[in-house]
Amino acid sequence: MLPLRGISRDDIIIKNINMKNTLKIGGKELKSRFFMGTGKFANFEEMQKAIIASKADVVTVAVRRVDLDSKTDNILDFIPKDVVLMPNTSGARNADEAVRIAHLAKAAGCGNWIKIEVIPDNQYLLPDNLETLKAIEALVKEDFVVLPYMNPDLVMARRMVEAGAVAIMPLGAPIGSNRGIKTKEIVKIMVKELSVPVIVDAGIGKPSEAAECMEMGCGAVLADTAVATADDSVLMAEAFAEAIEAGRKAYLAGTGGVQESASASSPLTGFLRDS
Amino acid sequence: MRGGKNLSTDYMLTVNGKQTEFKENQTVRNFLEEKGLEPQKVVLELNKEILSRENWSETILQDGDSLEIISFVGGG
């Protein structure tokens, strides 16, 4: 007897040409579109496992004074050497302070990437776009690979790109708030209009929100709090990685149109009834 | 002049914002080692200028210097 259905899943190999896409930033080809932060983890061992589970190619760190009164492990010992280290300038309240922190970060000898973060306010941690622009102008001249964290604004983002920013990192919601992509409408416009990758940074609380950013065409997503404060941060890192990959695939595939009324999946004829 | 105190231990420097004593003719590298810091893991600013690692063995701390000892921490 012939089998009812002729094909086994192993008979057909699908080669998806669209997935041959990497994110190119600052001369680096990144396989992963998940940028992961390293703050708020319970300990460095857990952070290390989360980094590995996330498959992130870019990992952020901050720059601080060493506490001479308490001996702590060094975070660099727990970050795989094959990931790009992207120090941020958190703590900077103006362009000059951001430039100073960038210099210190570069002097550590871990590359020339810098995430500019200039924040004058402590309640909402919203960035100062104008001071950020000034810091970009200064640091691009010194051959830094500059990625600015910014309050979503197309005109300002364009100025930042003109000044040499290699990507733009608009916030989705206040840092650490886990509220999701509240700035969606502006970010969508930025994705459409800017010539550099848009990387949503801050506020992303769940993998579904990260996937949504990627479906919109964002170049990448940065998450920290959402992963680090999950009950199981390692599993959450993996969940984010999968969501970001799924969202990217959906963007490349092109999502179907949205409409008000239903559209039947099968013909509305040939029903087993007479009227 | 503080009476009765040995002048050789009277050298003060500001380290990460705190007043700290140091020995006369002490190099930066020696100071870090005394504080138990691994030189490869920190970055220094001496009087607001970055002091590159190659110069730590030659640079002698001066009374009134301001030293910032910086390293990476977790961040997003």
Side-chain angles (χ1 to χ4, degrees):
Chain A
M1 205 173 97
L2 283 170
L4 209 51
R5 296 183 292 169
I7 286 164
S8 147
R9 274 184 271 200
D10 297 332
D11 294 341
I12 299 175
I13 297 159
I14 297 173
K15 279 191 184 154
N16 204 327
I17 50 164
N18 278 330
M19 277 314 289
K20 282 184 187 167
N21 82 102
T22 48
L23 178 62
K24 281 182 198 146
I25 292 182
K28 286 239 161 61
E29 288 203 2
L30 308 171
K31 273 177 269 163
S32 166
R33 289 171 181 269
F34 184 15
F35 288 22
M36 212 179 82
T38 56
K40 297 186 191 169
F41 281 92
N43 53 60
F44 287 155
E45 285 81 8
E46 196 183 306
M47 178 204 75
Q48 183 175 54
K49 284 182 200 155
I51 291 173
I52 291 163
S54 75
K55 297 194 177 78
D57 287 323
V58 179
V59 163
T60 58
V61 288
V63 174
R64 290 289 184 276
R65 282 174 165 170
V66 170
D67 182 359
L68 296 170
D69 300 324
S70 78
K71 282 291 265 176
T72 49
D73 285 330
N74 192 289
I75 194 168
L76 291 183
D77 292 336
F78 295 84
I79 299 177
K81 61 184 175 193
D82 52 348
V83 305
V84 176
L85 206 65
M86 178 166 71
N88 67 37
T89 66
S90 69
R93 295 158 299 178
N94 55 49
D96 288 344
E97 289 178 0
V99 169
R100 181 185 176 198
I101 294 167
H103 287 161
L104 286 164
K106 201 179 187 180
C110 298
N112 60 343
W113 283 44
I114 192 82
K115 173 183 149 184
I116 300 181
E117 194 177 324
V118 180
I119 297 176
D121 126 79
N122 270 339
Q123 185 171 5
Y124 298 105
L125 297 176
L126 293 172
D128 182 330
N129 283 351
L130 189 58
E131 289 294 311
T132 302
L133 178 62
K134 287 184 200 164
I136 296 168
E137 285 166 347
L139 293 170
V140 165
K141 282 188 198 131
E142 299 177 32
D143 288 328
F144 278 90
V145 173
V146 178
L147 295 90
Y149 169 63
M150 59 108 59
N151 214 327
D153 177 272
L154 179 62
V155 178
M156 186 49 100
R158 277 202 178 117
R159 287 179 188 261
M160 290 177 175
V161 174
E162 278 165 24
V166 295
I168 295 290
M169 307 182 81
L171 62 95
I175 292 173
S177 68
N178 284 345
R179 292 177 62 203
I181 172 98
K182 298 292 174 193
T183 55
K184 186 170 17 179
E185 297 307 319
I186 307 291
V187 170
K188 265 187 195 167
I189 295 170
M190 289 168 63
V191 167
K192 195 157 167 268
E193 294 295 323
L194 296 177
S195 57
V196 300
V198 173
I199 301 170
V200 175
D201 179 5
I204 300 303
K206 294 193 279 285
S208 57
E209 293 157 1
E212 190 178 5
C213 293
M214 298 310 295
E215 286 166 8
M216 281 160 46
C218 288
V221 169
L222 192 152
D224 183 352
T225 302
V227 175
T229 64
D231 290 341
D232 185 336
S233 63
V234 180
L235 190 57
M236 188 59 88
E238 202 176 316
F240 262 90
E242 287 172 5
I244 287 165
E245 206 180 315
R248 179 65 186 172
K249 283 180 183 172
Y251 170 73
L252 293 172
T255 49
V258 176
Q259 50 193 37
E260 286 295 311
S261 304
S263 167
S265 304
S266 305
L268 290 171
T269 53
F271 290 126
L272 285 79
R273 61 181 189 227
D274 295 325
S275 60
Chain B
M1 179 109 31
R2 277 169 255 180
K5 203 167 178 198
N6 185 347
L7 280 177
S8 67
T9 59
D10 211 6
Y11 291 85
M12 294 300 276
L13 105 141
T14 309
V15 181
N16 291 353
K18 278 186 199 159
Q19 289 290 302
T20 310
E21 267 186 31
F22 69 102
K23 291 181 205 140
E24 193 181 1
N25 286 326
Q26 192 169 24
T27 65
V28 169
R29 178 169 285 273
N30 183 246
F31 180 81
L32 291 178
E33 279 162 5
E34 214 164 76
K35 292 281 170 196
L37 294 168
E38 280 182 79
Q40 291 308 314
K41 306 283 166 60
V42 297
V43 176
L44 298 187
E45 238 185 30
L46 183 62
N47 302 323
K48 302 255 165 145
E49 298 280 339
I50 289 175
L51 189 66
S52 59
R53 218 163 264 147
E54 307 91 79
N55 299 326
W56 292 359
S57 303
E58 300 134 40
T59 307
I60 292 165
L61 291 166
Q62 306 291 326
D63 192 31
D65 273 351
S66 174
L67 187 67
E68 292 283 349
I69 308 175
I70 306 282
S71 69
F72 287 131
V73 298

